[in-house]
Amino acid sequence: MTTKPFVLKWGIVGAGRISGFFVRDLILDPTKSGRDGDVVHAVTAVGSRSSQKAEEFIKDNCPQGGFAQQSGLLPVAPAAFGSYADVYNHPDVDIIYVGTTHPSHYEDCKNALEAGKHVLLEKPATLNKAEFKVLSELAQSKKLFLMEAVWTRFFPLTFALEKALFEDQAIGEIRRLVSDFSISFIDVVDDTHRMLNPSLGGGGLLDLGPYPLVWAMLVLYRHPKNNLNPPTNLVAAMTKFGETGIDLHTSWSMDFPNLGPGARANLSVSIGVNSPKDVVTRIQGTHGEILLPWATARPDKFIIRRSQPGRGAQDYTEEVHEFPIIGQGLHWEADAVARCIRDGKTESERMPHADTLLTMSIFDEIRRQGGYVYPEGLEKVTL
Ligand SMILES: NC(=O)c1ccc[n+]([C@@H]2O[C@H](COP(=O)([O-])OP(=O)(O)OC[C@H]3O[C@@H](n4cnc5c(N)ncnc54)[C@H](OP(=O)(O)O)[C@@H]3O)[C@@H](O)[C@H]2O)c1
């Protein structure tokens, strides 16, 4: 590498599970796993509601910070804080990673933007579309970068899949996509856990739903022939969990009438069963199908089965395309964010605000049809 890489300085809020995965990926060597090394990450501050938890988080996950600090590019140690506000106001922070529970996303993101920081906001971006609309307008008015952290969009696998479908026409005209993301949380956590607790936005839809949806968004909504037309005919059903009102099983279908004779997405999530490991996403076309194995959020291969029209199930050839993932795979998203900020962009073309607004409007409608009402006051903005 001849030119000096761009260093992005991250402040982390919420010292929980996904924040740990995220910072551990920021430590990875940015020249490995097909990465260009043109951007490098630093972790300069971590905020938690408890300063002791923030200190332990740094000790356990990123004692030196990110790769920029480990490699001597930025001689700044990560600072631990017992409040999120200290991270927003830290002079050595460019961007805030919001890794808190769903109902906190709106206020954490708003506070970060108001303090003049860029934001990478964990999924689901907010509890509803109205909340994200306020954040989007605030980020635009302050010329700050804001993106929902849909990391799956940034995997090399995802770009290769799009090439196979749209450029190579590997399975001909796409007719249907089926995707499921299910993890049996009810058998492993108690009712206070964020997945089961309505006051923490619990249930399958908001937590797992972004991942079956991302495949429909990439393959059908962003299909070049769809011209970014929103899906029609959204039909949803929810099975509730006990007395809490959160969703145990949720499934929904959506149509994309601009594609061929009409293409359909059949999507589902559950917190009462586990997805099968062999195939969680299936894209079916006139000349075959593409299968993606577990995990819906993080596949490391896809399988193309080519066949003649009408012969799909009986007679096909199979190709396996593998994309090994080093770490968790969150570094590709982090690199894309760093390039946007380096280049003065306020949105990612790969994950624009419009896609988050559409996602949230789909979730709003599924909750309306399924009768999932959040506890009073949980949503900070409503239409
Ligand atoms: N991209 C992905 O694949 C992925 C994977 C998992 C989760 N997520 C998303 O990331 C977010 C966090 O998930 P997680 O699994 O990391 O959850 P977690 O382990 O429970 O961590 C969430 C953190 O939120 C903070 N928090 C703020 N207000 C809270 C409250 N009232 N109750 C509990 N915690 C509160 C806590 O941090 P402090 O105690 O340090 O303040 C807590 O550690 C969720 O929105 C989830 O959808 C994304």
Side-chain angles (χ1 to χ4, degrees):
M1 210 163 24
T2 48
T3 50
K4 217 172 151 210
F6 174 78
V7 177
L8 186 63
K9 292 173 276 181
W10 294 86
I12 309 295
V13 299
R17 189 166 177 272
I18 189 64
S19 297
F21 281 124
F22 186 72
V23 300
R24 289 199 294 278
D25 277 359
L26 297 185
I27 293 168
L28 298 175
D29 184 336
T31 62
K32 299 274 164 62
S33 62
R35 296 164 71 196
D36 293 343
D38 56 327
V39 291
V40 174
H41 304 282
V43 178
T44 47
V46 173
S48 167
R49 293 166 302 166
S50 137
S51 55
Q52 192 191 339
K53 192 173 165 191
E55 280 162 24
E56 280 165 13
F57 177 93
I58 292 173
K59 186 156 74 69
D60 293 345
N61 297 294
C62 53
Q64 290 176 278
F67 186 82
Q69 290 133 308
Q70 241 172 232
S71 60
L73 265 172
L74 186 82
V76 174
F81 294 108
S83 87
Y84 299 165
D86 285 323
V87 182
Y88 307 142
N89 295 319
H90 195 288
D92 263 328
V93 166
D94 303 318
I95 181 165
I96 303 293
Y97 172 81
V98 175
T100 56
T101 42
H102 321 332
S104 303
H105 288 184
Y106 172 75
E107 284 190 340
D108 297 338
C109 179
K110 188 161 172 282
N111 290 338
L113 292 169
E114 280 170 350
K117 303 298 192 205
H118 305 292
V119 177
L120 177 63
L121 180 58
E122 259 312 333
K123 48 53 58 178
T126 44
L127 291 177
N128 63 28
K129 180 182 174 185
E131 288 186 350
F132 190 75
K133 191 162 176 290
V134 172
L135 297 178
S136 169
E137 288 168 359
L138 179 61
Q140 281 161 2
S141 73
K142 294 179 90 61
K143 298 191 170 37
L144 291 166
F145 178 85
L146 168 63
M147 189 183 96
E148 182 186 7
V150 187
W151 56 314
T152 315
R153 290 192 182 219
F154 299 91
F155 290 4
L157 172 145
T158 313
F159 291 98
L161 177 71
E162 288 172 341
K163 181 177 176 298
L165 289 169
F166 305 148
E167 285 179 38
D168 307 344
Q169 297 278 311
I171 56 165
E173 188 175 79
I174 302 167
R175 295 270 171 89
R176 189 169 70 162
L177 179 145
V178 181
S179 186
D180 176 73
F181 195 16
S182 299
I183 301 174
S184 186
F185 281 98
I186 59 168
D187 297 315
V188 289
V189 299
D190 67 30
D191 288 4
T192 59
H193 188 276
R194 68 172 187 84
M195 289 300 294
L196 306 190
N197 184 343
S199 62
L200 293 176
L205 176 67
L206 258 73
D207 196 82
L208 305 174
Y211 294 113
L213 183 61
V214 77
W215 298 110
M217 294 286 284
L218 291 173
V219 172
L220 301 176
Y221 172 67
R222 293 177 76 89
H223 189 297
K225 288 191 183 149
N226 186 50
N227 293 321
L228 300 183
N229 279 296
T232 60
N233 197 23
L234 169 56
V235 179
M238 272 183 175
T239 302
K240 298 293 181 43
F241 176 59
E243 299 300 307
T244 65
I246 66 158
D247 61 307
L248 172 67
H249 310 294
T250 295
S251 51
W252 70 103
S253 61
M254 308 185 296
D255 288 342
F256 293 84
N258 291 336
L259 301 181
R264 164 157 290 206
N266 283 339
L267 310 176
S268 55
V269 296
S270 173
I271 56 168
V273 293
N274 291 309
S275 297
K277 300 290 180 241
D278 48 353
V279 181
V280 287
T281 303
R282 182 183 294 266
I283 306 161
Q284 297 172 294
T286 49
H287 289 70
E289 59 183 0
I290 295 187
L291 314 176
L292 288 102
W294 179 265
T296 320
R298 186 178 175 271
D300 60 4
K301 68 177 163 208
F302 63 78
I303 300 148
I304 303 178
R305 286 183 178 169
R306 295 176 206 267
S307 59
Q308 293 305 311
R311 299 287 304 159
Q314 290 84 19
D315 188 8
Y316 54 77
T317 60
E318 198 167 89
E319 274 167 36
V320 180
H321 296 252
E322 304 208 45
F323 298 84
I325 301 174
I326 293 178
Q328 196 65 16
L330 292 151
H331 43 78
W332 288 301
E333 162 190 71
D335 286 359
V337 168
R339 289 186 194 108
C340 284
I341 290 169
R342 177 195 66 191
D343 300 343
K345 294 182 182 171
T346 53
E347 280 191 57
S348 156
E349 284 149 23
R350 187 76 184 155
M351 183 63 226
H353 294 194
D355 284 28
T356 296
L357 290 166
L358 177 59
T359 296
M360 294 317 307
S361 70
I362 290 169
F363 288 172
D364 287 354
E365 177 57 18
I366 295 169
R367 282 193 301 108
R368 191 193 67 75
Q369 291 186 24
Y372 181 160
V373 180
Y374 296 126
E376 181 75 29
L378 202 67
E379 293 160 281
K380 302 299 179 300
V381 190
T382 50
L383 286 177

